[in-house]
PDB file of all heavy atoms in Angstrom:
ATOM      1  N   ASP A  31     237.529  21.992-205.298  1.00 96.00           N
ATOM      2  CA  ASP A  31     238.293  20.937-205.965  1.00 96.00           C
ATOM      3  C   ASP A  31     237.412  19.704-206.164  1.00 96.00           C
ATOM      4  O   ASP A  31     237.275  18.864-205.284  1.00 96.00           O
ATOM      5  CB  ASP A  31     239.516  20.579-205.105  1.00 96.00           C
ATOM      6  CG  ASP A  31     240.467  19.619-205.783  1.00 96.00           C
ATOM      7  OD1 ASP A  31     240.069  18.947-206.760  1.00 96.00           O
ATOM      8  OD2 ASP A  31     241.618  19.523-205.309  1.00 96.00           O
ATOM      9  N   GLU A  41     236.190   7.394-200.942  1.00 98.00           N
ATOM     10  CA  GLU A  41     236.898   6.947-199.739  1.00 98.00           C
ATOM     11  C   GLU A  41     235.928   6.701-198.588  1.00 98.00           C
ATOM     12  O   GLU A  41     235.995   5.665-197.911  1.00 98.00           O
ATOM     13  CB  GLU A  41     237.931   8.002-199.337  1.00 98.00           C
ATOM     14  CG  GLU A  41     238.630   7.728-198.024  1.00 98.00           C
ATOM     15  CD  GLU A  41     239.497   8.907-197.575  1.00 98.00           C
ATOM     16  OE1 GLU A  41     240.042   9.633-198.443  1.00 98.00           O
ATOM     17  OE2 GLU A  41     239.617   9.101-196.358  1.00 98.00           O
ATOM     18  N   ILE A  57     227.989   4.760-187.486  1.00 97.00           N
ATOM     19  CA  ILE A  57     227.276   6.037-187.504  1.00 97.00           C
ATOM     20  C   ILE A  57     228.215   7.163-187.942  1.00 97.00           C
ATOM     21  O   ILE A  57     227.852   8.000-188.780  1.00 97.00           O
ATOM     22  CB  ILE A  57     226.670   6.344-186.117  1.00 97.00           C
ATOM     23  CG1 ILE A  57     225.752   5.204-185.660  1.00 97.00           C
ATOM     24  CG2 ILE A  57     225.950   7.684-186.122  1.00 97.00           C
ATOM     25  CD1 ILE A  57     224.656   4.838-186.637  1.00 97.00           C
TER      26      ILE A  57
END
Side-chain angles (χ1 to χ4, degrees):
D31 187 342
E41 174 188 328
I57 304 305

